């Protein structure tokens, strides 16, 4: 219904940029990612779909398929869900003085607030 030129006039890009992107050959990273996705899926399927990323990474390394330190290809990175939150971003204590300070602090108490629970 809408052509490239009207859409590009609304967006801040030139039509030539769109056409250059469409005709450009895939980059080495894209080609490698496509190859790795096939290998990752193969290992995952062969292991009854129970292997996680660490075991898939280890299995591919055993097969001499180097996939680097991060076993997830760029296409599988997902944004963190909006309902996830971290309450404490401080690193753990490192020195003995800091450990003793932490151990003297009272521990949080977990309470049950259900009406049918005892106490």
């Amino acid at each position: 219904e809408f052509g490239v030129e009207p859409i590009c006039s609304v967006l801040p890009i030139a039509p030539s940029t769109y056409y250059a992107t469409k005709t450009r050959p895939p980059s080495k990273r894209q080609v490698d990612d496509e190859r790795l996705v096939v290998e990752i899926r193969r290992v995952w399927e062969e292991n009854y779909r129970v292997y996680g990323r660490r075991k898939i990474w280890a299995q591919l390394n055993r097969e001499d398929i180097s996939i680097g330190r991060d076993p997830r290809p760029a296409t599988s990175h997902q944004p963190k869900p909006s309902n996830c939150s971290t309450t404490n971003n401080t690193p753990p204590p490192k020195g003995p003085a800091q450990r003793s300070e932490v151990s003297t602090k009272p521990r949080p108490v977990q309470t049950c607030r259900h009406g049918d629970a005892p106490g």
Side-chain angles (χ1 to χ4, degrees), residues 90-112:
T90 59
K94 293 185 180 179
Q98 291 176 339
R99 281 192 206 110
S100 65
E101 291 170 9
V102 170
S103 63
T104 59
K105 294 180 182 177
R107 297 178 67 190
V109 178
Q110 189 173 17
T111 59
C112 181

Side-chain angles (χ1 to χ4, degrees), residues 1 10 23 31-32 34 50-51 58 61 63 73 88 107 112 115:
E1 186 175 310
V10 173
T23 59
V31 172
D32 289 345
E34 289 172 11
V50 296
Y51 268 19
N61 278 333
E63 295 176 8
N88 187 1
R107 297 178 67 190
C112 181

Side-chain angles (χ1 to χ4, degrees), residues 40 42-43 47 51-72:
I40 290 169
R42 177 189 58 81
V43 169
N47 292 286
Y51 268 19
R53 67 181 183 93
R54 288 185 183 125
K55 286 188 176 183
I56 291 173
W57 179 80
Q59 179 63 35
L60 289 173
N61 278 333
R62 284 192 292 271
E63 295 176 8
D64 291 328
I65 299 172
S66 177
I67 59 173
R69 291 188 63 177
D70 187 4
R72 297 168 295 177

Side-chain angles (χ1 to χ4, degrees), residues 16-82:
S16 60
T17 305
Y18 169 79
Y19 291 116
T21 304
K22 292 293 283 183
T23 59
R24 184 180 303 134
S27 68
K28 183 179 181 324
R29 171 77 183 257
Q30 288 172 324
V31 172
D32 289 345
D33 282 349
E34 289 172 11
R35 179 185 59 87
L36 288 176
V37 166
V38 170
E39 292 296 327
I40 290 169
R41 182 161 297 277
R42 177 189 58 81
V43 169
W44 185 63
E45 294 282 343
E46 285 175 359
N47 292 286
Y48 307 104
R49 299 181 176 187
V50 296
Y51 268 19
R53 67 181 183 93
R54 288 185 183 125
K55 286 188 176 183
I56 291 173
W57 179 80
Q59 179 63 35
L60 289 173
N61 278 333
R62 284 192 292 271
E63 295 176 8
D64 291 328
I65 299 172
S66 177
I67 59 173
R69 291 188 63 177
D70 187 4
R72 297 168 295 177
T75 57
S76 70
H77 289 236
Q78 298 293 324
K80 187 176 179 181
S82 60

